[in-house]
Amino acid sequence: MTMVNDNAVLHLENINRIFPRDITDISSAILKEMLLPRSQIGKNNLNTFHALKDINLILEKNQKLGIIGSHHSGKTMLANIASGLLHPSSGKVSVNGSRLLFSRPTAGFKPALTVLENLSFRASLLGLHGIKLDDILESTLSQCGMSLSVAQQPIGNLSPYVIKQLAFYLLLSIETDIVIIDELISAGSGDIRQATRSQLQDKIEKCSSLIISSDLSFLKETTTHSFILTAGQLLGPYETLDAIAGFNQLQLSGFNGLDEDDEGFASQNDQSTYVIEEDLVDAQEIALDDITDKITPTKRKAAIASARIFSITSLEVDGDNEYSHSKYSLLKRTGEFVEVEMELIANCKALVKGGKFELIKGSTGSIFAQTNIEWPTQEITLGANYQVKFSFQIPENKGDFFGLAFTPLNISNKPIKESQLKILILGTGNAKKKVQNEISMLNVEFNKLCN
Amino acid sequence: MRLLITTAYNIVIRDYRIRFRRTYLSILWFLLPMFMLAGLALFIGGELGLYSIEGRNKYIVQLLTGLILWQLFADAWLEPMRYGRRTKTVLRAVALDENALLLAGAISAMIGFIIKVPVVLVAFVWFDVTPPNYNVFIPIGMISILSVGTALSCFTLPISLILLDVRYSMPVIQFVLLLATPIFYDIPASGLIASINHYNPFTYLILPIRDIFLNVTIDTSLVLLSTIIAIIFLVIGMYYYQAKMRLSIAYIGR
């Protein structure tokens, strides 16, 4: 296999992995992936999101690279594609050597089968057979201090710690050129956990390694350079200490990458939850200084304070308080009412007499429907919490992806500049009618919450 | 290749251990469904006049032979899907050769067939029907049956991992195809059933091989042609399977 340079053992080139945005679309997404050619599958549209986006990574021989990412950033997907477990929607993976993925060590273990049968099965899947398999099984059992008679009992009789420890030792015994670790850095409990961790470090020392871990101390001990993976996008590589510092800064600022659906709001002079400019999407060319400089908490607070009266602290849609407008869309709910509760925090003092609700087209950013709701004038206090509740009927809008935004109104009933908040993302669904130019809102309330 | 065969074999053995370890009847479960079906067909067939009293023995042997060949095809189609379901967690953890699932299915289908053949041969002797002579078209025909079953599995296995519709519909589809194939009955001279039999490709897959077992003279070029078509179908299926399987696995657990 031709690699980008002679020293490279693993090369991920323009890797993308796309999934449907709405979980109810998974059946049709699967059908499309099964029926259409690959060139059609990799195409992004507003109904999909990138689990991985434009990933480029080169691992050289004997190099140890780290990847740091928060929950749901795409770490496991990256590990799976790098190890050959999964194919990307588009892009190419080139490898020179054998790969071993450290993940889900007990996958395939059946409680009714014996320890030996389970280990033997897993080992055979990893390419072991014959005398070599027997030797490794014997070594695995002896490292766990397990006798043959116990190993011939059903594995369901053992504790989960011991089972995981056995599986971990088995993985450690497998010879390989490239090790890809997906969060699995130790097994067992107490001292055994430390022992397994050390043995894994020894193994990493001998191989080219890609280590995906949220254990930052482990990354410091084993890698010299690391990437930051955020919302499917890879930033770096940086020296590991710098990467860790950058990652921590990103966590503090709540940066989640540039969401694709934000493009629809871009023309609205978007001042979304984070103040990252668009050029930061191009991960490979960004110096870490640029990121930390642009997203320090002080600057962020200043930016928000000058631009916007409120920030959303929580958003509940039909009782689901994990709704995030950048992650979920309400695609199949045209005509239905949804109950929305927003909790807001005030960034400055102001007088608010109502709110303007707007429907904005995703592709152009143009407003196609709006309504003003008035309530008794409220004096907004800096740092106080407020709540906006309403029932909203999802309109029909053929052929576009659109969103609902809220802007507070001043005492002259004019929208307060640069205070627009994005609330919901709505999709096309099966709507047949043309766009409705009105918004149906019911039971709108604006209340101050006790702190 | 050695790793592929070893992996497939281990998948089969592991499955048999799980399936039969805690049963009383063990591998008899390979035979019982077929004999129960044959017994039912014998009873109903007698009532419906599918065979005469004089032809009863020949009907039993013909039925059993047809059923084991059908079961070979059905297992070659369904077993890979079953192994895919059983190894879902492994597919998300180990980058094993996905062809191992197809090969495991074919191995399991052959094992089931080999267990049934002696029983059917005993039936030949018991019911005083001339047992088959060795004929080179018997293994060729079996390759054809295995190829078609495996090819169908290539198209249905990736999607069956995720969409339960495929899994739920399989028993119905299999049953309809079984009834549409003249195994329980002879092809009528005319009528709707005759047309269905004529246009059903599985008629040409199963019946020639069954007739070889029964020492009936057949057009061997038909067997060769169906084998060539089956192998081409399998190659196309494998190409699709290689392209789609690792995309499908990404949806497991999603």
Side-chain angles (χ1 to χ4, degrees):
Chain A
M1 191 160 293
T2 310
M3 298 292 268
V4 65
N5 70 57
D6 290 339
N7 219 20
V9 292
L10 180 66
H11 184 201
L12 274 57
E13 205 175 330
N14 298 326
I15 298 293
N16 288 278
R17 178 68 222 189
I18 291 170
F19 287 104
R21 192 178 285 272
D22 192 310
I23 197 166
T24 58
D25 270 349
I26 281 184
S27 305
S28 54
I30 289 162
L31 271 175
K32 274 186 202 158
E33 289 207 24
M34 294 297 110
L35 295 173
L36 294 176
R38 192 88 166 263
S39 54
Q40 296 300 311
I41 295 167
K43 286 187 177 175
N44 180 31
N45 60 57
L46 291 169
N47 294 332
T48 59
F49 79 94
H50 278 102
L52 292 175
K53 185 173 180 181
D54 295 330
I55 302 288
N56 285 284
L57 183 150
I58 298 170
L59 178 69
E60 295 186 349
K61 196 173 165 70
N62 294 324
Q63 189 179 26
K64 332 291 173 196
L65 275 181
I67 297 188
I68 310 169
S70 58
H71 176 63
H72 232 69
S73 58
K75 303 193 296 295
T76 296
M77 186 58 60
L78 179 59
N80 288 342
I81 289 175
S83 63
L85 204 71
L86 301 178
H87 285 168
S89 303
S90 63
K92 191 176 156 191
V93 179
S94 309
V95 65
N96 185 8
S98 57
R99 293 172 284 189
L100 177 64
L101 175 64
F102 267 72
S103 174
R104 305 179 200 221
T106 58
F109 281 21
K110 291 289 181 190
L113 298 180
T114 66
V115 173
L116 276 177
E117 284 167 348
N118 278 300
L119 289 177
S120 177
F121 176 67
R122 187 68 192 259
S124 69
L125 294 181
L126 294 167
L128 296 175
H129 53 268
I131 297 170
K132 196 153 188 197
L133 171 63
D134 294 337
D135 289 342
I136 282 178
L137 288 181
E138 200 181 316
S139 147
T140 302
L141 292 178
S142 73
Q143 285 194 81
C144 293
M146 185 173 288
S147 66
L148 195 59
S149 58
V150 174
Q152 284 165 345
Q153 301 292 321
I155 207 169
N157 293 347
L158 302 180
S159 88
Y161 285 116
V162 174
I163 296 171
K164 194 171 173 189
Q165 192 187 333
L166 283 164
F168 192 83
Y169 276 125
L170 180 68
L171 288 178
L172 282 175
S173 312
I174 310 291
E175 284 172 16
T176 184
D177 300 317
I178 305 166
V179 162
I180 298 162
I181 294 168
D182 182 14
E183 299 282 9
L184 180 69
I185 60 168
S186 64
S189 55
D191 292 339
I192 295 168
R193 185 173 280 276
Q194 282 303 319
T196 52
R197 185 183 163 113
S198 305
Q199 285 176 302
L200 180 61
Q201 284 174 316
D202 292 340
K203 188 165 185 76
I204 288 168
E205 200 49 44
K206 293 177 201 156
C207 305
S208 314
S209 308
L210 188 65
I211 302 155
I212 298 166
S213 179
S214 46
D215 187 327
L216 301 179
S217 64
F218 187 79
L219 284 173
K220 277 188 227 172
E221 289 164 21
T222 51
T223 63
T224 52
H225 287 80
S226 296
F227 289 87
I228 300 172
L229 184 64
T230 175
Q233 297 158 15
L234 209 58
L235 309 176
Y238 312 110
E239 288 192 9
T240 297
L241 290 175
D242 291 339
I244 290 170
F247 173 71
N248 288 332
Q249 288 286 355
L250 285 169
Q251 292 288 90
L252 280 172
S253 70
F255 175 62
N256 277 320
L258 193 68
D259 291 335
E260 287 146 44
D261 54 286
D262 283 347
E263 289 163 21
F265 290 86
S267 64
Q268 296 298 301
N269 192 20
D270 185 44
Q271 294 283 329
S272 64
T273 316
Y274 27 83
V275 294
I276 305 296
E277 283 86 353
E278 280 195 26
D279 59 4
L280 284 177
V281 173
D282 193 353
Q284 293 299 326
E285 294 173 12
I286 299 305
L288 192 58
D289 288 345
D290 290 338
I291 300 174
T292 52
D293 191 38
K294 281 171 178 147
I295 59 163
T296 54
T298 313
K299 284 198 175 183
R300 176 173 173 270
K301 280 181 190 166
I304 291 170
S306 65
R308 196 187 276 166
I309 289 179
F310 294 117
S311 298
I312 300 177
T313 53
S314 80
L315 181 59
E316 199 172 289
V317 177
D318 281 347
D320 174 13
N321 59 9
E322 288 190 2
Y323 179 84
S324 163
H325 77 265
S326 62
K327 301 289 180 217
Y328 301 107
S329 64
L330 303 169
L331 285 171
K332 307 274 187 206
R333 305 274 302 275
T334 52
E336 290 183 22
F337 276 91
V338 288
E339 304 293 325
V340 180
E341 277 185 33
M342 274 193 306
E343 285 189 9
L344 311 171
I345 187 166
N347 299 314
C348 60
K349 282 172 66 170
L351 289 171
V352 169
K353 204 186 165 191
K356 179 178 174 182
F357 292 87
E358 296 164 302
L359 291 177
I360 302 171
K361 281 193 180 180
S363 53
T364 60
S366 57
I367 300 166
F368 64 88
Q370 61 190 25
T371 190
N372 286 1
I373 306 287
E374 285 186 31
W375 51 68
T377 304
Q378 288 234 15
E379 187 176 347
I380 305 299
T381 315
L382 172 65
N385 292 305
Y386 297 86
Q387 183 189 59
V388 177
K389 288 167 67 169
F390 56 89
S391 293
F392 167 65
Q393 186 178 34
I394 299 176
E396 293 184 281
N397 183 7
K398 185 175 183 255
D400 203 353
F401 198 83
F402 58 101
L404 177 72
F406 163 78
T407 312
L409 298 174
N410 60 21
I411 51 172
S412 309
N413 276 339
K414 295 241 166 71
I416 298 171
K417 261 191 177 179
E418 296 179 4
S419 288
Q420 187 190 68
L421 298 171
K422 290 176 287 182
I423 309 172
L424 304 176
I425 295 291
L426 303 137
T428 58
N430 291 321
K432 293 192 173 39
K433 286 189 204 169
K434 225 172 159 264
V435 58
Q436 289 171 227
N437 293 326
E438 56 190 39
I439 305 177
S440 293
M441 316 235 12
L442 297 176
N443 307 324
V444 182
E445 293 175 24
F446 181 82
N447 305 307
K448 183 173 180 182
L449 296 175
C450 300
N451 285 337
Chain B
M1 180 57 100
R2 186 178 176 180
L3 178 61
L4 174 65
I5 294 170
T6 311
T7 303
Y9 173 77
N10 283 325
I11 289 172
V12 173
I13 293 301
R14 172 177 172 266
D15 179 61
Y16 284 178
R17 282 181 182 141
I18 296 167
R19 276 164 81 182
F20 299 123
R21 182 165 283 177
R22 292 185 181 180
T23 63
Y24 232 19
L25 299 175
S26 188
I27 63 166
L28 283 178
W29 282 108
F30 278 113
L31 299 168
L32 278 174
M34 187 184 75
F35 283 110
M36 282 170 10
L37 194 59
L40 199 63
L42 212 59
F43 172 70
I44 295 173
E47 296 293 312
L48 292 176
L50 292 182
Y51 58 88
S52 62
I53 302 288
E54 300 79 27
R56 183 172 172 272
N57 287 355
K58 187 165 180 272
Y59 176 79
I60 293 170
V61 171
Q62 180 178 294
L63 177 64
L64 286 174
T65 311
L67 280 176
I68 67 165
L69 290 171
W70 177 264
Q71 197 59 47
L72 177 66
F73 158 71
D75 286 346
W77 184 3
L78 292 182
E79 288 289 272
M81 284 197 277
R82 205 166 59 77
Y83 288 130
R85 282 200 312 276
R86 293 276 182 151
T87 55
K88 259 186 183 181
T89 53
V90 176
L91 289 172
R92 282 305 301 260
V94 182
L96 60 92
D97 187 342
E98 59 270 19
N99 295 321
L101 294 175
L102 298 175
L103 186 56
I107 291 172
S108 181
M110 281 302 303
I111 290 173
F113 181 77
I114 288 165
I115 289 172
K116 293 180 187 91
V117 162
V119 178
V120 173
L121 289 176
V122 166
F124 270 86
V125 174
W126 185 273
F127 292 106
D128 205 23
V129 176
T130 312
N133 298 318
Y134 175 74
N135 189 319
V136 70
F137 287 98
I138 291 178
I140 290 174
M142 287 172 54
I143 287 171
S144 167
I145 291 172
L146 275 174
S147 298
V148 172
T150 306
L152 284 171
S153 197
C154 287
F155 290 104
T156 54
L157 170 51
I159 200 168
S160 73
L161 288 179
I162 313 303
L163 286 185
L164 293 178
D165 305 81
V166 176
R167 186 174 148 195
Y168 297 154
S169 63
M170 273 301 120
V172 176
I173 292 170
Q174 287 259 318
F175 191 61
V176 166
L177 287 175
L178 176 60
L179 291 178
T181 309
I183 291 173
F184 292 105
Y185 52 88
D186 290 328
I187 301 176
S190 62
L192 178 62
I193 305 280
S195 300
I196 290 171
N197 292 157
H198 176 67
Y199 289 110
N200 177 8
F202 301 104
T203 303
Y204 307 100
L205 184 69
I206 304 291
L207 256 58
I209 315 304
R210 184 195 69 179
D211 290 344
I212 292 174
F213 269 88
L214 297 171
N215 294 314
V216 173
T217 309
I218 60 156
D219 181 1
T220 53
S221 62
L222 198 63
V223 177
L224 281 171
L225 180 63
S226 66
T227 305
I228 291 168
I229 293 172
I231 290 171
I232 292 171
F233 188 34
L234 178 61
V235 169
I236 295 170
M238 295 282 305
Y239 181 75
Y240 173 87
Y241 181 75
Q242 302 281 357
K244 297 297 180 186
M245 187 62 178
R246 296 244 165 242
L247 291 175
S248 160
I249 291 171
Y251 283 93
I252 293 174
R254 202 159 258 279

